[in-house]
Amino acid sequence: MLKAVIFDMDGLMVDTEIICFQVYKQILKDYNYDLTLKEYVEEFAGKPMKTSIENIKKRFQVPFKINEGIDLYTNIENNLFEKNGVSLKEGVIELLEYLKEHNYKIVIATSSLPTRAKKILKENHITHFFDDMVFGTDIQRGKPFPDIFLKACEKLNIKLNEALVLEDSEAGIQAAYNAHIPVICIPDLKYPQEKYVKQTIKIYNTLLDVIPFIEKCF
Protein backbone atom coordinates (compact mmCIF):
# COMPACT_ATOMS: atom_id res chain seq x y z
CA MET A 1 0.00 0.00 0.00
CA LEU A 2 1.40 3.36 -1.02
CA LYS A 3 1.57 5.85 1.84
CA ALA A 4 4.23 8.39 0.77
CA VAL A 5 5.90 9.87 -2.28
CA ILE A 6 9.51 11.00 -2.02
CA PHE A 7 10.56 13.81 -4.35
CA ASP A 8 14.01 14.74 -5.52
CA MET A 9 14.21 18.49 -6.16
CA ASP A 10 16.82 19.64 -8.69
CA GLY A 11 15.94 18.61 -12.22
CA LEU A 12 12.74 16.90 -11.12
CA MET A 13 10.65 19.63 -9.50
CA VAL A 14 12.62 22.73 -10.44
CA ASP A 15 14.60 23.49 -13.57
CA THR A 16 17.94 23.93 -11.83
CA GLU A 17 20.18 21.22 -13.27
CA ILE A 18 21.04 23.32 -16.31
CA ILE A 19 21.89 26.18 -13.93
CA CYS A 20 24.11 23.86 -11.88
CA PHE A 21 25.89 22.89 -15.08
CA GLN A 22 26.47 26.56 -15.92
CA VAL A 23 27.90 27.17 -12.45
CA TYR A 24 30.41 24.32 -12.62
CA LYS A 25 31.29 25.32 -16.17
CA GLN A 26 32.00 28.89 -15.01
CA ILE A 27 34.10 27.70 -12.07
CA LEU A 28 36.28 25.58 -14.33
CA LYS A 29 36.44 28.23 -17.05
CA ASP A 30 38.20 30.51 -14.57
CA TYR A 31 40.89 27.82 -14.36
CA ASN A 32 41.03 27.35 -18.15
CA TYR A 33 39.08 24.08 -18.21
CA ASP A 34 35.96 23.40 -20.26
CA LEU A 35 33.22 21.21 -18.77
CA THR A 36 30.90 19.53 -21.27
CA LEU A 37 27.24 18.80 -20.60
CA LYS A 38 27.98 15.09 -21.00
CA GLU A 39 30.67 15.28 -18.29
CA TYR A 40 28.33 17.17 -15.99
CA VAL A 41 25.49 14.67 -16.38
CA GLU A 42 27.74 11.66 -15.85
CA GLU A 43 29.76 12.96 -12.90
CA PHE A 44 27.86 15.72 -11.13
CA ALA A 45 24.08 15.57 -11.72
CA GLY A 46 22.10 14.51 -8.68
CA LYS A 47 25.09 14.44 -6.35
CA PRO A 48 25.75 16.65 -3.29
CA MET A 49 27.53 19.92 -3.95
CA LYS A 50 30.37 19.07 -1.55
CA THR A 51 30.94 15.76 -3.34
CA SER A 52 31.02 17.54 -6.70
CA ILE A 53 33.42 20.22 -5.48
CA GLU A 54 35.70 17.49 -4.11
CA ASN A 55 35.46 15.75 -7.48
CA ILE A 56 36.39 18.96 -9.33
CA LYS A 57 39.33 19.61 -7.04
CA LYS A 58 40.67 16.08 -7.47
CA ARG A 59 39.97 15.64 -11.17
CA PHE A 60 41.00 19.07 -12.44
CA GLN A 61 43.60 19.88 -9.77
CA VAL A 62 42.11 23.31 -9.04
CA PRO A 63 43.89 25.16 -6.21
CA PHE A 64 40.95 26.22 -4.01
CA LYS A 65 40.00 24.62 -0.70
CA ILE A 66 36.71 22.72 -0.50
CA ASN A 67 34.96 25.41 1.54
CA GLU A 68 36.22 28.06 -0.91
CA GLY A 69 34.81 26.03 -3.79
CA ILE A 70 31.45 25.76 -2.06
CA ASP A 71 31.37 29.51 -1.45
CA LEU A 72 32.33 30.16 -5.08
CA TYR A 73 29.58 27.84 -6.32
CA THR A 74 26.99 29.47 -4.04
CA ASN A 75 27.86 33.00 -5.16
CA ILE A 76 27.72 32.18 -8.87
CA GLU A 77 24.47 30.24 -8.51
CA ASN A 78 22.81 32.99 -6.46
CA ASN A 79 23.68 35.50 -9.17
CA LEU A 80 22.12 33.26 -11.81
CA PHE A 81 19.02 32.74 -9.67
CA GLU A 82 18.65 36.48 -9.17
CA LYS A 83 19.06 37.10 -12.88
CA ASN A 84 16.92 34.31 -14.32
CA GLY A 85 14.82 32.94 -11.46
CA VAL A 86 14.02 29.24 -10.98
CA SER A 87 10.99 27.77 -12.71
CA LEU A 88 8.93 24.73 -11.77
CA LYS A 89 8.90 21.71 -14.03
CA GLU A 90 5.71 20.66 -15.79
CA GLY A 91 3.17 18.90 -13.59
CA VAL A 92 4.67 19.76 -10.20
CA ILE A 93 1.67 21.64 -8.81
CA GLU A 94 -0.88 19.22 -10.25
CA LEU A 95 0.88 16.19 -8.75
CA LEU A 96 1.40 17.82 -5.35
CA GLU A 97 -2.26 18.86 -5.19
CA TYR A 98 -3.37 15.36 -6.19
CA LEU A 99 -1.23 13.73 -3.49
CA LYS A 100 -2.50 16.11 -0.82
CA GLU A 101 -6.12 15.58 -1.83
CA HIS A 102 -5.65 11.82 -1.55
CA ASN A 103 -3.84 11.99 1.81
CA TYR A 104 -0.45 10.73 0.70
CA LYS A 105 2.56 11.90 2.69
CA ILE A 106 4.98 14.02 0.67
CA VAL A 107 8.66 14.43 1.48
CA ILE A 108 11.63 15.99 -0.29
CA ALA A 109 14.94 14.12 -0.34
CA THR A 110 17.46 16.44 -1.93
CA SER A 111 21.24 16.57 -1.97
CA SER A 112 20.93 20.35 -1.76
CA LEU A 113 21.81 22.42 1.30
CA PRO A 114 18.80 23.31 3.51
CA THR A 115 19.00 27.09 3.01
CA ARG A 116 19.23 26.73 -0.77
CA ALA A 117 16.41 24.20 -1.05
CA LYS A 118 14.05 26.08 1.26
CA LYS A 119 14.64 29.32 -0.61
CA ILE A 120 13.81 27.71 -3.95
CA LEU A 121 10.67 26.06 -2.56
CA LYS A 122 9.53 29.28 -0.87
CA GLU A 123 10.03 31.39 -3.97
CA ASN A 124 7.90 28.94 -5.93
CA HIS A 125 5.22 28.86 -3.20
CA ILE A 126 5.20 25.09 -2.71
CA THR A 127 6.74 24.67 0.75
CA HIS A 128 3.36 23.99 2.37
CA PHE A 129 2.84 20.78 0.40
CA PHE A 130 5.62 18.88 2.17
CA ASP A 131 5.23 16.87 5.35
CA ASP A 132 8.98 16.65 5.84
CA MET A 133 12.33 17.30 4.17
CA VAL A 134 15.69 15.55 4.09
CA PHE A 135 18.81 17.40 2.94
CA GLY A 136 22.34 16.48 2.05
CA THR A 137 23.49 17.67 5.48
CA ASP A 138 21.23 15.12 7.20
CA ILE A 139 23.16 12.10 5.95
CA GLN A 140 26.73 10.80 5.83
CA ARG A 141 26.67 9.53 2.24
CA GLY A 142 24.98 11.21 -0.71
CA LYS A 143 23.41 9.69 -3.80
CA PRO A 144 23.98 7.11 -5.30
CA PHE A 145 24.10 5.69 -1.75
CA PRO A 146 20.60 4.95 -0.38
CA ASP A 147 20.95 6.93 2.85
CA ILE A 148 18.79 9.92 1.93
CA PHE A 149 15.78 7.80 0.94
CA LEU A 150 16.14 5.53 3.95
CA LYS A 151 16.20 8.64 6.14
CA ALA A 152 13.04 9.95 4.45
CA CYS A 153 11.15 6.74 5.24
CA GLU A 154 12.46 6.81 8.79
CA LYS A 155 11.25 10.37 9.33
CA LEU A 156 7.79 9.49 8.02
CA ASN A 157 7.76 6.22 9.99
CA ILE A 158 6.82 4.16 6.93
CA LYS A 159 8.11 0.90 5.47
CA LEU A 160 10.23 0.94 2.30
CA ASN A 161 7.51 -0.79 0.27
CA GLU A 162 5.04 1.92 1.31
CA ALA A 163 7.04 4.63 -0.48
CA LEU A 164 7.58 5.71 -4.07
CA VAL A 165 10.60 7.75 -5.20
CA LEU A 166 10.50 10.26 -8.05
CA GLU A 167 13.89 11.04 -9.59
CA ASP A 168 15.49 12.49 -12.71
CA SER A 169 19.14 11.44 -12.45
CA GLU A 170 21.03 8.18 -12.65
CA ALA A 171 22.55 8.79 -9.23
CA GLY A 172 19.06 9.22 -7.79
CA ILE A 173 17.75 6.08 -9.50
CA GLN A 174 20.68 4.11 -8.13
CA ALA A 175 20.11 5.48 -4.63
CA ALA A 176 16.44 4.48 -4.65
CA TYR A 177 17.26 1.06 -6.08
CA ASN A 178 19.91 0.53 -3.40
CA ALA A 179 17.31 1.48 -0.78
CA HIS A 180 14.88 -1.12 -2.24
CA ILE A 181 12.26 1.57 -2.85
CA PRO A 182 10.34 1.64 -6.17
CA VAL A 183 11.48 4.56 -8.33
CA ILE A 184 9.96 6.39 -11.28
CA CYS A 185 12.28 8.46 -13.45
CA ILE A 186 11.34 11.67 -15.23
CA PRO A 187 14.56 12.39 -17.17
CA ASP A 188 15.89 15.93 -17.27
CA LEU A 189 19.20 16.49 -19.04
CA LYS A 190 19.72 12.89 -20.08
CA TYR A 191 17.72 9.73 -20.63
CA PRO A 192 19.20 7.11 -18.28
CA GLN A 193 21.44 4.32 -19.50
CA GLU A 194 19.87 0.88 -19.88
CA LYS A 195 21.23 -0.45 -16.58
CA TYR A 196 19.45 2.39 -14.75
CA VAL A 197 16.29 1.99 -16.80
CA LYS A 198 16.09 -1.57 -15.49
CA GLN A 199 16.21 -0.24 -11.93
CA THR A 200 13.05 1.86 -12.42
CA ILE A 201 9.42 0.78 -12.46
CA LYS A 202 8.46 3.44 -15.00
CA ILE A 203 9.98 6.28 -17.01
CA TYR A 204 7.71 9.18 -17.88
CA ASN A 205 8.01 12.48 -19.73
CA THR A 206 6.52 14.67 -17.00
CA LEU A 207 5.27 14.51 -13.42
CA LEU A 208 1.73 14.69 -14.77
CA ASP A 209 2.12 11.09 -15.91
CA VAL A 210 2.60 9.95 -12.31
CA ILE A 211 -1.03 10.70 -11.42
CA PRO A 212 -2.66 8.06 -13.66
CA PHE A 213 0.05 5.59 -12.60
CA ILE A 214 -0.87 6.01 -8.93
CA GLU A 215 -4.58 5.83 -9.71
CA LYS A 216 -4.10 2.59 -11.63
CA CYS A 217 -1.62 0.84 -9.35
CA PHE A 218 -2.67 1.99 -5.89
Side-chain angles (χ1 to χ4, degrees), residues 25-84:
K25 190 176 181 68
Q26 180 61 55
I27 289 174
L28 288 169
K29 182 180 178 182
D30 291 341
Y31 293 98
N32 298 315
Y33 291 106
D34 184 39
L35 181 70
T36 67
L37 183 59
K38 182 175 183 293
E39 288 174 319
Y40 171 78
V41 170
E42 291 179 350
E43 302 206 25
F44 302 102
K47 297 178 181 178
M49 184 201 307
K50 185 174 184 291
T51 300
S52 294
I53 294 296
E54 289 171 344
N55 188 8
I56 282 178
K57 182 174 175 62
K58 181 178 179 180
R59 179 177 174 183
F60 297 98
Q61 297 296 304
V62 293
F64 57 58
K65 297 178 181 178
I66 299 300
N67 62 325
E68 293 173 341
I70 291 174
D71 289 342
L72 179 60
Y73 177 98
T74 301
N75 290 334
I76 296 173
E77 184 182 64
N78 284 340
N79 288 335
L80 290 174
F81 283 172
E82 290 296 326
K83 181 179 179 181
N84 302 317

Coordinates of all heavy atoms in Angstrom, one line a residue, residues 25-84:
K25 N 30.6 24.9 -14.9 CA 31.3 25.3 -16.2 C 32.0 26.6 -16.0 O 33.2 26.8 -16.4 CB 30.3 25.4 -17.3 CG 30.9 25.6 -18.7 CD 29.9 25.6 -19.8 CE 30.5 25.8 -21.2 NZ 31.3 24.6 -21.6
Q26 N 31.4 27.6 -15.3 CA 32.0 28.9 -15.0 C 33.2 28.8 -14.1 O 34.2 29.4 -14.2 CB 31.0 29.9 -14.4 CG 31.5 31.3 -14.1 CD 32.1 31.9 -15.3 OE1 31.3 32.1 -16.3 NE2 33.3 32.4 -15.3
I27 N 33.0 27.9 -13.0 CA 34.1 27.7 -12.1 C 35.3 27.2 -12.8 O 36.5 27.7 -12.6 CB 33.7 26.7 -11.0 CG1 32.6 27.4 -10.0 CG2 34.9 26.2 -10.1 CD1 32.0 26.4 -9.0
L28 N 35.1 26.2 -13.6 CA 36.3 25.6 -14.3 C 36.8 26.5 -15.4 O 38.0 26.4 -15.7 CB 35.9 24.2 -14.9 CG 35.7 23.1 -13.8 CD1 35.0 21.9 -14.4 CD2 37.0 22.8 -13.2
K29 N 36.0 27.3 -16.0 CA 36.4 28.2 -17.0 C 37.5 29.2 -16.5 O 38.5 29.6 -17.1 CB 35.3 29.0 -17.6 CG 35.6 30.0 -18.7 CD 34.4 30.7 -19.3 CE 34.8 31.7 -20.3 NZ 33.6 32.5 -20.8
D30 N 37.3 29.6 -15.2 CA 38.2 30.5 -14.6 C 39.6 29.9 -14.4 O 40.5 30.6 -14.1 CB 37.6 31.0 -13.2 CG 36.4 31.9 -13.4 OD1 36.2 32.4 -14.5 OD2 35.6 32.0 -12.4
Y31 N 39.6 28.5 -14.5 CA 40.9 27.8 -14.4 C 41.3 27.2 -15.7 O 42.1 26.3 -15.8 CB 40.8 26.7 -13.3 CG 40.6 27.3 -11.9 CD1 39.3 27.4 -11.3 CD2 41.7 27.8 -11.2 CE1 39.2 27.9 -10.0 CE2 41.5 28.3 -9.9 CZ 40.3 28.4 -9.3 OH 40.1 28.9 -8.1
N32 N 40.7 27.7 -16.8 CA 41.0 27.3 -18.2 C 40.7 25.9 -18.5 O 41.4 25.2 -19.3 CB 42.5 27.6 -18.4 CG 42.9 29.1 -18.3 OD1 42.2 29.9 -18.8 ND2 44.0 29.4 -17.6
Y33 N 39.6 25.4 -17.9 CA 39.1 24.1 -18.2 C 37.7 24.2 -18.8 O 37.0 25.2 -18.4 CB 39.0 23.2 -17.0 CG 40.3 22.8 -16.4 CD1 40.8 23.3 -15.2 CD2 41.1 21.8 -17.1 CE1 42.0 22.9 -14.7 CE2 42.4 21.4 -16.6 CZ 42.8 22.0 -15.4 OH 44.0 21.6 -14.9
D34 N 37.3 23.4 -19.7 CA 36.0 23.4 -20.3 C 35.2 22.1 -19.9 O 35.6 21.0 -20.1 CB 36.0 23.5 -21.8 CG 34.7 23.6 -22.4 OD1 33.8 24.4 -21.8 OD2 34.4 23.0 -23.5
L35 N 34.1 22.3 -19.2 CA 33.2 21.2 -18.8 C 32.1 21.0 -19.8 O 31.4 21.9 -20.1 CB 32.6 21.5 -17.4 CG 31.7 20.4 -16.8 CD1 32.6 19.2 -16.4 CD2 31.0 20.9 -15.6
T36 N 32.0 19.8 -20.3 CA 30.9 19.5 -21.3 C 29.6 19.1 -20.5 O 29.7 18.7 -19.4 CB 31.3 18.4 -22.3 OG1 31.4 17.2 -21.5 CG2 32.6 18.7 -22.9
L37 N 28.5 19.2 -21.2 CA 27.2 18.8 -20.6 C 27.3 17.3 -20.3 O 26.8 16.8 -19.3 CB 26.1 19.1 -21.5 CG 24.7 18.8 -21.0 CD1 24.4 19.5 -19.7 CD2 23.6 19.1 -22.1
K38 N 27.9 16.5 -21.2 CA 28.0 15.1 -21.0 C 28.8 14.8 -19.7 O 28.4 13.9 -18.9 CB 28.7 14.5 -22.2 CG 28.8 12.9 -22.1 CD 29.4 12.4 -23.4 CE 29.5 10.9 -23.4 NZ 30.4 10.4 -22.4
E39 N 29.9 15.5 -19.5 CA 30.7 15.3 -18.3 C 29.9 15.6 -17.0 O 29.9 14.9 -16.0 CB 31.9 16.1 -18.3 CG 33.0 15.6 -19.3 CD 34.2 16.6 -19.5 OE1 33.9 17.8 -19.5 OE2 35.3 16.1 -19.5
Y40 N 29.1 16.7 -17.1 CA 28.3 17.2 -16.0 C 27.3 16.1 -15.6 O 27.2 15.7 -14.4 CB 27.6 18.5 -16.3 CG 26.6 18.8 -15.2 CD1 27.0 19.4 -14.0 CD2 25.3 18.6 -15.4 CE1 26.1 19.6 -12.9 CE2 24.3 18.8 -14.3 CZ 24.8 19.4 -13.1 OH 23.9 19.6 -12.1
V41 N 26.6 15.6 -16.6 CA 25.5 14.7 -16.4 C 26.1 13.4 -15.8 O 25.5 12.8 -14.8 CB 24.7 14.4 -17.7 CG1 23.8 13.2 -17.5 CG2 24.0 15.6 -18.1
E42 N 27.2 12.9 -16.3 CA 27.7 11.7 -15.8 C 28.4 11.7 -14.5 O 28.4 10.8 -13.7 CB 28.8 11.2 -16.9 CG 28.1 10.7 -18.2 CD 29.1 10.3 -19.2 OE1 30.3 10.4 -19.0 OE2 28.7 9.7 -20.3
E43 N 28.9 12.9 -14.1 CA 29.8 13.0 -12.9 C 29.2 13.9 -11.8 O 29.6 13.7 -10.6 CB 31.2 13.4 -13.3 CG 31.9 12.5 -14.3 CD 33.4 12.5 -14.2 OE1 33.9 12.8 -13.1 OE2 34.0 12.2 -15.2
F44 N 28.3 14.8 -12.1 CA 27.9 15.7 -11.1 C 26.4 15.8 -10.9 O 25.9 16.1 -9.7 CB 28.3 17.1 -11.5 CG 29.8 17.3 -11.7 CD1 30.3 17.3 -13.0 CD2 30.6 17.4 -10.6 CE1 31.7 17.4 -13.2 CE2 32.0 17.5 -10.8 CZ 32.5 17.5 -12.1
A45 N 25.5 15.5 -11.9 CA 24.1 15.6 -11.7 C 23.5 14.7 -10.6 O 23.9 13.5 -10.5 CB 23.4 15.2 -13.0
G46 N 22.8 15.3 -9.7 CA 22.1 14.5 -8.7 C 22.9 14.3 -7.5 O 22.5 13.7 -6.5
K47 N 24.2 14.7 -7.5 CA 25.1 14.4 -6.4 C 25.2 15.7 -5.5 O 25.0 16.8 -5.9 CB 26.5 14.0 -6.9 CG 26.4 12.7 -7.7 CD 27.7 12.3 -8.2 CE 27.6 10.9 -9.0 NZ 28.9 10.5 -9.6
P48 N 25.6 15.5 -4.2 CA 25.7 16.6 -3.3 C 26.8 17.6 -3.8 O 27.8 17.2 -4.4 CB 26.2 16.0 -2.0 CG 25.7 14.6 -2.1 CD 25.8 14.2 -3.5
M49 N 26.6 18.9 -3.5 CA 27.5 19.9 -3.9 C 28.9 19.7 -3.4 O 29.9 19.8 -4.2 CB 27.1 21.3 -3.5 CG 28.0 22.4 -4.0 SD 27.8 23.9 -3.0 CE 26.1 24.2 -3.0
K50 N 29.1 19.3 -2.1 CA 30.4 19.1 -1.5 C 31.1 17.9 -2.3 O 32.3 18.0 -2.6 CB 30.2 18.7 -0.1 CG 31.6 18.6 0.7 CD 31.3 18.4 2.2 CE 32.7 18.3 2.9 NZ 33.4 17.1 2.6
T51 N 30.4 16.9 -2.6 CA 30.9 15.8 -3.3 C 31.4 16.2 -4.7 O 32.5 15.8 -5.2 CB 29.9 14.6 -3.5 OG1 29.5 14.2 -2.2 CG2 30.5 13.5 -4.3
S52 N 30.6 17.1 -5.4 CA 31.0 17.5 -6.7 C 32.2 18.5 -6.6 O 33.1 18.4 -7.5 CB 29.8 18.3 -7.4 OG 28.8 17.3 -7.6
I53 N 32.3 19.3 -5.6 CA 33.4 20.2 -5.5 C 34.7 19.4 -5.2 O 35.8 19.7 -5.8 CB 33.2 21.2 -4.3 CG1 32.0 22.2 -4.7 CG2 34.4 22.0 -4.0 CD1 32.3 23.1 -5.9
E54 N 34.6 18.4 -4.4 CA 35.7 17.5 -4.1 C 36.1 16.8 -5.4 O 37.4 16.6 -5.6 CB 35.3 16.5 -3.1 CG 35.2 17.0 -1.7 CD 34.6 16.1 -0.7 OE1 34.0 15.0 -1.1 OE2 34.7 16.3 0.6
N55 N 35.2 16.4 -6.2 CA 35.5 15.7 -7.5 C 36.2 16.7 -8.4 O 37.2 16.3 -9.1 CB 34.1 15.3 -8.1 CG 34.4 14.4 -9.4 OD1 35.5 14.0 -9.7 ND2 33.3 14.1 -10.1
I56 N 35.7 17.9 -8.5 CA 36.4 19.0 -9.3 C 37.8 19.2 -8.9 O 38.8 19.2 -9.7 CB 35.6 20.3 -9.3 CG1 34.4 20.2 -10.2 CG2 36.4 21.5 -9.7 CD1 33.5 21.4 -10.2
K57 N 38.0 19.3 -7.6 CA 39.3 19.6 -7.0 C 40.3 18.5 -7.4 O 41.4 18.7 -7.8 CB 39.3 19.8 -5.5 CG 40.6 20.1 -4.9 CD 40.4 20.5 -3.4 CE 41.8 20.7 -2.7 NZ 42.5 21.8 -3.3
K58 N 39.8 17.2 -7.2 CA 40.7 16.1 -7.5 C 40.9 15.9 -9.0 O 42.1 15.6 -9.4 CB 40.0 14.8 -6.9 CG 40.8 13.6 -7.1 CD 40.1 12.4 -6.4 CE 40.9 11.1 -6.6 NZ 40.3 9.9 -5.9
R59 N 39.9 16.0 -9.8 CA 40.0 15.6 -11.2 C 40.7 16.7 -12.0 O 41.5 16.4 -12.8 CB 38.6 15.4 -11.8 CG 38.6 15.1 -13.3 CD 37.2 14.9 -13.8 NE 37.3 14.7 -15.3 CZ 36.2 14.6 -16.0 NH1 35.0 14.5 -15.5 NH2 36.4 14.5 -17.3
F60 N 40.4 18.0 -11.7 CA 41.0 19.1 -12.4 C 42.2 19.8 -11.7 O 42.7 20.7 -12.3 CB 39.9 20.1 -12.8 CG 38.8 19.5 -13.7 CD1 37.6 19.1 -13.1 CD2 39.0 19.4 -15.0 CE1 36.6 18.6 -13.9 CE2 38.0 18.9 -15.8 CZ 36.8 18.5 -15.3
Q61 N 42.5 19.3 -10.5 CA 43.6 19.9 -9.8 C 43.5 21.4 -9.6 O 44.5 22.1 -9.7 CB 44.9 19.5 -10.5 CG 45.2 18.0 -10.6 CD 45.4 17.4 -9.2 OE1 46.2 17.8 -8.4 NE2 44.6 16.4 -8.9
V62 N 42.3 21.9 -9.3 CA 42.1 23.3 -9.0 C 42.7 23.6 -7.7 O 42.6 22.8 -6.7 CB 40.6 23.7 -9.2 CG1 40.2 23.6 -10.6 CG2 39.7 23.0 -8.3
P63 N 43.2 24.8 -7.4 CA 43.9 25.2 -6.2 C 43.0 25.6 -5.0 O 43.6 25.7 -3.9 CB 44.8 26.3 -6.6 CG 44.0 27.0 -7.7 CD 43.3 25.9 -8.5
F64 N 41.7 25.7 -5.2 CA 41.0 26.2 -4.0 C 40.7 25.1 -3.0 O 40.7 23.9 -3.3 CB 39.6 26.9 -4.4 CG 38.7 26.0 -5.3 CD1 38.3 24.8 -4.8 CD2 38.3 26.4 -6.5 CE1 37.4 24.0 -5.6 CE2 37.4 25.6 -7.3 CZ 37.0 24.4 -6.8
K65 N 40.4 25.5 -1.7 CA 40.0 24.6 -0.7 C 38.5 24.3 -0.9 O 37.8 25.0 -1.6 CB 40.2 25.2 0.7 CG 41.7 25.6 1.0 CD 41.8 26.2 2.3 CE 43.3 26.6 2.6 NZ 43.4 27.3 3.9
I66 N 38.1 23.2 -0.3 CA 36.7 22.7 -0.5 C 35.7 23.8 -0.1 O 34.7 24.1 -0.8 CB 36.4 21.4 0.3 CG1 37.4 20.3 -0.2 CG2 35.0 21.0 0.1 CD1 37.2 20.0 -1.7
N67 N 35.9 24.4 1.1 CA 35.0 25.4 1.5 C 35.0 26.6 0.6 O 34.0 27.3 0.4 CB 35.2 25.8 3.0 CG 36.6 26.4 3.2 OD1 37.6 26.0 2.5 ND2 36.7 27.4 4.1
E68 N 36.1 26.9 0.0 CA 36.2 28.1 -0.9 C 35.5 27.7 -2.2 O 34.8 28.6 -2.8 CB 37.7 28.4 -1.2 CG 38.5 28.9 -0.1 CD 40.0 29.0 -0.4 OE1 40.4 28.4 -1.3 OE2 40.6 29.8 0.4
G69 N 35.5 26.5 -2.6 CA 34.8 26.0 -3.8 C 33.3 26.1 -3.6 O 32.6 26.5 -4.5
I70 N 32.9 25.7 -2.4 CA 31.4 25.8 -2.1 C 31.0 27.2 -2.1 O 29.9 27.5 -2.6 CB 31.2 25.1 -0.7 CG1 31.4 23.6 -0.8 CG2 29.8 25.4 -0.2 CD1 31.3 22.8 0.5
D71 N 31.7 28.1 -1.5 CA 31.4 29.5 -1.5 C 31.3 30.1 -2.9 O 30.4 30.9 -3.2 CB 32.4 30.3 -0.6 CG 32.3 30.0 0.9 OD1 31.2 29.5 1.3 OD2 33.2 30.3 1.6
L72 N 32.3 29.7 -3.7 CA 32.3 30.2 -5.1 C 31.1 29.7 -5.8 O 30.4 30.5 -6.5 CB 33.6 29.6 -5.8 CG 33.8 30.0 -7.2 CD1 33.9 31.5 -7.4 CD2 35.1 29.4 -7.8
Y73 N 30.8 28.4 -5.7 CA 29.6 27.8 -6.3 C 28.3 28.6 -5.9 O 27.5 29.0 -6.7 CB 29.4 26.4 -6.0 CG 28.2 25.7 -6.5 CD1 28.2 25.0 -7.7 CD2 26.9 25.9 -5.9 CE1 27.1 24.5 -8.3 CE2 25.8 25.4 -6.5 CZ 25.9 24.7 -7.7 OH 24.7 24.2 -8.2
T74 N 28.2 28.8 -4.6 CA 27.0 29.5 -4.0 C 26.8 30.9 -4.6 O 25.7 31.3 -5.0 CB 27.1 29.5 -2.5 OG1 27.2 28.2 -2.0 CG2 25.8 30.2 -1.9
N75 N 27.9 31.6 -4.7 CA 27.9 33.0 -5.2 C 27.5 33.1 -6.6 O 26.6 33.9 -7.0 CB 29.2 33.7 -5.0 CG 29.5 34.0 -3.5 OD1 28.6 34.1 -2.7 ND2 30.8 34.0 -3.2
I76 N 28.1 32.2 -7.4 CA 27.7 32.2 -8.9 C 26.3 31.8 -9.1 O 25.5 32.4 -9.9 CB 28.7 31.2 -9.7 CG1 30.1 31.8 -9.6 CG2 28.2 31.1 -11.1 CD1 31.1 30.8 -10.2
E77 N 25.8 30.7 -8.4 CA 24.5 30.2 -8.5 C 23.5 31.3 -8.1 O 22.4 31.5 -8.7 CB 24.3 29.0 -7.7 CG 22.9 28.4 -7.9 CD 22.6 27.1 -7.1 OE1 22.6 27.2 -5.9 OE2 22.4 26.0 -7.7
N78 N 23.7 32.0 -6.9 CA 22.8 33.0 -6.5 C 22.7 34.1 -7.5 O 21.5 34.6 -7.7 CB 23.3 33.6 -5.1 CG 23.1 32.6 -4.0 OD1 22.2 31.7 -4.0 ND2 23.8 32.8 -2.9
N79 N 23.7 34.5 -8.1 CA 23.7 35.5 -9.2 C 22.8 35.1 -10.3 O 22.0 35.8 -10.9 CB 25.1 35.8 -9.7 CG 25.9 36.6 -8.6 OD1 25.3 37.3 -7.8 ND2 27.2 36.5 -8.7
L80 N 22.9 33.8 -10.7 CA 22.1 33.3 -11.8 C 20.7 33.2 -11.4 O 19.8 33.5 -12.2 CB 22.6 31.9 -12.2 CG 24.0 31.9 -13.0 CD1 24.5 30.4 -13.2 CD2 23.9 32.6 -14.3
F81 N 20.4 32.8 -10.2 CA 19.0 32.7 -9.7 C 18.4 34.1 -9.7 O 17.2 34.3 -10.1 CB 19.0 32.2 -8.2 CG 19.1 30.7 -8.2 CD1 19.3 30.0 -7.0 CD2 19.1 29.9 -9.3 CE1 19.4 28.7 -6.9 CE2 19.3 28.5 -9.2 CZ 19.4 27.9 -8.0
E82 N 19.2 35.1 -9.2 CA 18.6 36.5 -9.2 C 18.4 37.0 -10.6 O 17.4 37.7 -10.8 CB 19.7 37.4 -8.5 CG 19.8 37.2 -7.0 CD 18.5 37.5 -6.2 OE1 17.8 38.4 -6.6 OE2 18.3 36.8 -5.2
K83 N 19.2 36.6 -11.5 CA 19.1 37.1 -12.9 C 17.9 36.4 -13.6 O 17.1 37.1 -14.3 CB 20.4 36.9 -13.6 CG 20.4 37.4 -15.1 CD 21.7 37.1 -15.7 CE 21.7 37.6 -17.2 NZ 23.0 37.3 -17.8
N84 N 17.8 35.1 -13.5 CA 16.9 34.3 -14.3 C 15.8 33.7 -13.6 O 14.8 33.2 -14.2 CB 17.7 33.2 -15.0 CG 18.8 33.8 -15.9 OD1 18.6 34.7 -16.6 ND2 20.0 33.1 -15.8

